[in-house]
Amino acid sequence: MHNCEVFVKTGISFADHHEALTHIGERMVQEGIVETTYPQALVNREAEFPTGIQLEHHAVAIPHCEATHARSPAIYLIRPDTAVEFFQADDDGTIPASLIIALIVTHPAEQLKLLRQLFSQLQDPVFCESLLTVPEEQLSALFKSRIFISSPEKRSAA
């Protein structure tokens, strides 16, 4: 996933999570990152398996769908002006997501590794706060520096 492109959008508002997902789908199709089937697959997956996650101080949403809809790996970080209500992954309620991290992967095994690393890093309140406050032009570099770090196994094998 180190060759993964990271897109960033701030200064945007959405009426609800469906509008946010529609935006993600349309933008990723425009960028050539995904197949034309991706936008609907993303909406369908979110309806069946919600991705809102309540963290210690903030809430995030991590929408994604099957790798068959992706052309190349990417992450789309969206920091909306106002939090967007997403249904919780582990509950029937909703949470106000102040950060949306859309994952586009081409290999299912990569998605699992990426999700594990992401969940691990999102447990750090300082990192989460940084994602929400750094200037837009620094957001991609900050994200990459914490999410695409080498695993201990890879470092010791070198």
Side-chain angles (χ1 to χ4, degrees):
M1 288 295 294
H2 297 282
N3 62 346
C4 180
E5 206 166 342
V6 177
F7 297 89
V8 172
K9 182 71 175 170
T10 63
I12 189 169
S13 294
F14 303 106
D16 55 28
H17 76 278
H18 190 272
E19 189 175 292
L21 295 172
T22 299
H23 167 80
I24 293 165
E26 290 173 356
R27 171 82 190 273
M28 293 299 97
V29 167
Q30 287 172 351
E31 295 289 344
I33 298 296
V34 298
E35 302 292 341
T36 57
T37 56
Y38 174 82
Q40 190 59 53
L42 187 65
V43 169
N44 292 348
R45 169 94 180 36
E46 187 71 30
E48 191 171 343
F49 302 105
T51 61
I53 300 166
Q54 183 62 55
L55 301 170
E56 189 174 338
H57 299 291
H58 301 285
V60 300
I62 307 175
H64 56 280
C65 64
E66 298 78 18
T68 57
H69 304 285
R71 291 183 178 168
S72 60
I75 292 174
Y76 189 12
L77 298 172
I78 301 173
R79 198 168 58 195
D81 286 340
T82 56
V84 180
E85 291 291 323
F86 272 80
F87 285 95
Q88 288 191 69
D90 57 358
D91 196 330
D92 288 336
T94 62
I95 49 99
S98 47
L99 183 65
I100 303 167
I101 306 170
L103 307 181
I104 299 102
V105 297
T106 51
H107 301 292
E110 286 181 0
Q111 182 167 303
L112 194 53
K113 282 191 250 179
L114 181 59
L115 281 169
R116 280 192 193 125
Q117 179 65 12
L118 190 54
F119 287 138
S120 170
Q121 294 301 316
L122 288 173
Q123 298 305 312
D124 177 359
V126 174
F127 176 58
C128 286
E129 191 64 34
S130 295
L131 289 174
L132 294 170
T133 57
V134 298
E136 180 176 359
E137 60 274 5
Q138 295 174 16
L139 190 54
S140 176
L142 171 65
F143 185 84
K144 288 178 180 180
S145 73
R146 289 287 295 266
I147 303 304
F148 298 141
I149 57 174
S150 297
S151 65
E153 307 84 57
K154 287 181 184 170
R155 284 195 299 262
S156 63

